[in-house]
Amino acid sequence: MNNVKNVIVVGGGFAGTAAIAGLDGRLPPGYRLLVISEESYTTFSPMLPEAVGASVFPEQVVAPIRELFDARGGARFIMGRVTATDLAAGTLCCNSLSGPLTLSFDQLVLACGNRARLDLMPGAHEHALPLKTVGDAMHIRNTVLRRLARMELDAAPEQQRRLGHFVIIGGGFSGVEVAGELVDFLASVRPYYPHVDASAIRVTLLQDGARLLPELPAALGAAALASLRKRAVDVQFGQRALHIDAGGVGLAAGFIEAGTVISTIGSCTNGLIEQLGIALERGRLPVQGDCSVAGQGGLWAIGDCALVPNAHDGQAAPPTAQFAVQEGRLMARNLLARLNGSPGRAFNYRSRGMMAAIGHMKGVARIFGVPVSGLLAWLAWRAYYLSQMPTRRRKLRIFVEWTWGMFFSVDITHLRFTRSADIERES
């Protein structure tokens, strides 16, 4: 085994898991697949807003990475964080559950994504709630439930209006989806808080630009706007947040009081990509058409951390789940071709469509160039992400759970994960 060459995939997102599926059990003799990820699961990030609104449970937006492996393929999973790479020596350092590891590699695939940027404006780190992880989604949901519980105990109208005001910054996919899910969630759970004044509960969406969902055709952005405003979401355009504090959001035109501020804007480069010493473009690692890094034999990059040229339109592939999956699949084929001495292919992909869920059983989409909105768009959204789940058993279970959730009210449980030792210290 000492002569085995390692093919290491770093990251377990959409791109990384697609690459794993394409490589596992297909490497030539003498090669072994290693996968390193900080989490033991892949997160279906576009579904996090639905976890905020309790439309889905947290375990329904994640899938264990180990389920992707063929038990006969000889692949190995390491739960850990890569802290440094030495491209010249072909080694990397990883903090694992058993301590620091130094691993050698023949081929290194970086699919580590990016990070939430928490310092985009003064006060954001301390007072804004980001949405990047399952933990973020559950924290936002718990915060909303705590605000309602606090409002029941504080009858002062001005205090209820402040606590009941939820402000979302950003009118892209995440911002619109969170606004739609949140307003539906609040409407569904408010009857359980009879002492809360319904008129004190408000959702405001701040968009710096002139329309919502600029990634989609204007008609779909307009459809999303109409749907949100119909449900009393206050959508404000041309509003750039300048600072955030415990009382709300500061704008150029004044100050908006709010009990909760959710920020869906801003991402920053993963530290692992920054420390490579390779010039970045737009905060991403530029790669060639086959997803390999020029001048770095054996180095590949895919997903949100990579700037992948798309031969279809000559533009950089957008950092979306759909493109990340295709990048991972192509990269796996190209890596196998290189190991077998064959040429690879350039990334060339035409989007099949773009979708956004904007509340419970509500969505907007462009599918093969056809605009769709309402329930049909929402069903297409769910169908796509269900198709990406690993194993038939998991697909079937989640299908049943999602179908059940369409006909029953959302869950209002506030999970604190309090340990017995914590209770002892508090008593």
Side-chain angles (χ1 to χ4, degrees), residues 14-361:
F14 284 105
T17 52
I20 294 166
L23 294 171
D24 187 30
R26 295 179 173 86
L27 293 172
Y31 287 87
R32 177 180 60 174
L33 177 62
L34 297 183
V35 178
I36 303 175
S37 175
E38 295 180 46
E39 302 291 351
S40 63
Y41 52 81
T42 183
T43 301
F44 288 65
S45 300
M47 299 196 72
L48 290 178
E50 295 195 79
V52 169
S55 292
V56 297
F57 292 114
E59 64 270 22
Q60 296 171 357
V61 299
V62 297
I65 293 176
R66 293 181 186 273
E67 287 190 358
L68 300 171
F69 294 134
D70 183 341
R72 300 164 297 178
R76 181 184 179 193
F77 175 74
I78 299 173
M79 186 174 174
R81 182 174 186 175
V82 177
T83 57
T85 58
D86 187 334
L87 298 178
T91 60
L92 59 78
C93 298
C94 168
N95 286 336
S96 72
L97 295 176
S98 65
L101 297 175
T102 299
L103 302 169
S104 63
F105 60 83
D106 180 77
Q107 305 289 319
L108 176 62
V109 180
L110 298 178
C112 48
N114 52 28
R115 306 288 188 187
R117 185 174 178 182
L118 304 178
D119 61 349
L120 196 60
M121 67 193 76
H125 188 278
E126 297 83 3
H127 303 292
L129 303 181
L131 182 59
K132 193 73 173 176
T133 68
V134 175
D136 290 337
M138 293 308 297
H139 180 64
I140 293 172
R141 178 180 155 190
N142 283 345
T143 298
V144 172
L145 293 172
R146 283 199 302 272
R147 294 290 184 267
L148 294 173
R150 170 79 182 279
M151 290 171 71
E152 277 223 314
L153 299 173
D154 200 328
E158 64 278 7
Q159 182 71 341
Q160 284 216 1
R161 284 194 296 271
R162 188 186 71 81
L163 290 171
H165 194 188
F166 301 89
V167 173
I168 300 154
I169 302 175
F173 279 107
S174 293
V176 169
E177 290 165 352
V178 170
E181 283 291 335
L182 184 56
V183 73
D184 285 353
F185 179 64
L186 289 166
S188 180
V189 304
R190 200 208 62 79
Y192 295 100
Y193 300 85
H195 301 292
V196 171
D197 182 0
S199 66
I201 299 177
R202 296 172 294 154
V203 176
T204 296
L205 177 61
L206 303 178
Q207 167 67 323
D208 186 28
R211 69 181 184 92
L212 299 180
L213 299 174
E215 305 90 343
L216 290 175
L220 291 179
L225 175 63
S227 177
L228 292 177
R229 284 183 168 167
K230 183 178 181 180
R231 288 174 279 161
V233 176
D234 180 14
V235 182
Q236 300 184 21
F237 294 102
Q239 298 282 27
R240 173 172 293 186
L242 301 180
H243 67 87
I244 303 170
D245 62 29
V249 183
L251 310 171
F255 188 83
I256 296 180
E257 288 191 347
T260 306
V261 179
I262 302 169
S263 177
T264 65
I265 60 174
S267 61
C268 60
T269 307
N270 192 302
L272 178 61
I273 300 298
E274 291 182 317
Q275 63 89 38
L276 290 174
I278 300 174
L280 305 180
E281 294 182 25
R282 295 179 245 171
R284 299 157 71 186
L285 183 62
V287 299
Q288 302 179 105
D290 64 353
C291 297
S292 66
V293 180
Q296 301 289 336
L299 180 62
W300 312 75
I302 49 178
D304 289 358
C305 71
L307 192 73
V308 180
N310 187 1
H312 173 71
D313 56 10
Q315 303 296 315
T320 64
Q322 179 183 172
F323 278 83
V325 169
Q326 298 302 321
E327 291 165 16
R329 291 173 178 172
L330 177 80
M331 188 285 309
R333 292 194 294 268
N334 285 341
L335 191 154
L336 293 173
R338 178 177 294 184
L339 296 182
N340 291 315
S342 303
R345 297 169 53 191
F347 184 74
N348 188 332
Y349 181 71
R350 178 184 178 185
S351 173
R352 302 299 187 261
M354 302 185 77
M355 300 176 284
I358 55 174
H360 186 54
M361 296 196 291

